[in-house]
């Protein structure tokens, strides 16, 4: 009982539980937000981040349309461009067309929940093959 009282903030008795939790979330690191470690705990590319912007100057497919095409089995494979896979191209079954996945594509963000790994997980679950397109550099010895 003494330990629980020592860990509880002084204002907890004055506020209802939801209000106390909101106050705790605003006051820095605590048991309610320490698991976030910056991932989605703020609006800075956190949970509200909507993915990549549409690329300029090239034809692209919005991420939402890409997901519908994956669901309807219209995507033959996906090619991710190193180093992080932020840029990816879908190869369509119908005409073997290679088109960039654009607006909304999850980008690798160290301070948020966005990552191309989520796309890879979806592709694994749907049985769509993917690869990273590494280019072999000539030996410079």
């Amino acid at each position: 009982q003494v330990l629980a009282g020592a860990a509880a903030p002084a204002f907890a008795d004055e506020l209802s539980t939801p209000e106390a939790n909101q106050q705790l979330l605003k006051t820095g690191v605590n048991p309610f937000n320490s698991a976030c470690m910056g991932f989605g705990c703020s609006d800075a590319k956190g949970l509200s981040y909507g993915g990549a912007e549409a690329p300029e100057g090239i034809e692209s497919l919005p991420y939402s349309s890409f997901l519908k095409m994956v669901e309807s089995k219209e995507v033959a494979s996906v090619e991710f461009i190193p180093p992080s896979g932020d840029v990816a191209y879908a190869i369509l079954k119908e005409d073997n067309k290679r088109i960039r996945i654009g607006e909304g594509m999850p980008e690798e963000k160290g301070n948020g929940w966005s990552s191309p790994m989520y796309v890879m997980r979806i592709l694994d679950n749907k049985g769509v093959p993917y690869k990273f397109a590494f280019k072999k550099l000539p030996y410079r010895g």
Side-chain angles (χ1 to χ4, degrees), residues 18-56:
E19 291 169 330
N21 289 345
Q22 285 298 321
Q23 186 62 33
L24 283 171
L25 290 172
K26 293 178 185 176
T27 58
V29 176
N30 58 64
F32 294 105
N33 71 5
S34 61
C36 294
M37 296 179 283
F39 297 103
C41 293
S42 68
D43 288 338
K45 304 273 189 204
L47 294 176
S48 63
Y49 177 57
E53 294 181 8
E56 294 182 23

Side-chain angles (χ1 to χ4, degrees), residues 134-141:
F134 290 102
K135 293 182 181 177
K136 186 175 179 183
L137 298 174
Y139 177 71
R140 296 185 294 172

Side-chain angles (χ1 to χ4, degrees), residues 37-121:
M37 296 179 283
F39 297 103
C41 293
S42 68
D43 288 338
K45 304 273 189 204
L47 294 176
S48 63
Y49 177 57
E53 294 181 8
E56 294 182 23
I58 63 168
E59 183 181 11
S60 67
L61 181 67
Y63 182 62
S64 58
S65 299
F66 164 73
L67 290 176
K68 290 175 186 172
M69 294 179 82
V70 167
E71 189 67 35
S72 63
K73 302 190 183 308
E74 297 176 52
V75 177
S77 64
V78 176
E79 182 178 305
F80 292 92
I81 306 302
S84 62
D86 287 351
V87 175
Y89 291 87
I91 290 72
L92 307 180
K93 284 184 179 179
E94 184 178 339
D95 54 4
N96 214 29
K97 182 178 183 179
R98 184 177 185 257
I99 187 167
R100 177 147 174 207
I101 305 167
E103 181 182 8
M105 169 73 180
E107 297 175 298
E108 190 64 50
K109 298 292 179 192
N111 64 345
W113 292 103
S114 181
S115 174
M117 296 296 285
Y118 291 112
V119 180
M120 294 171 204
R121 175 71 183 262

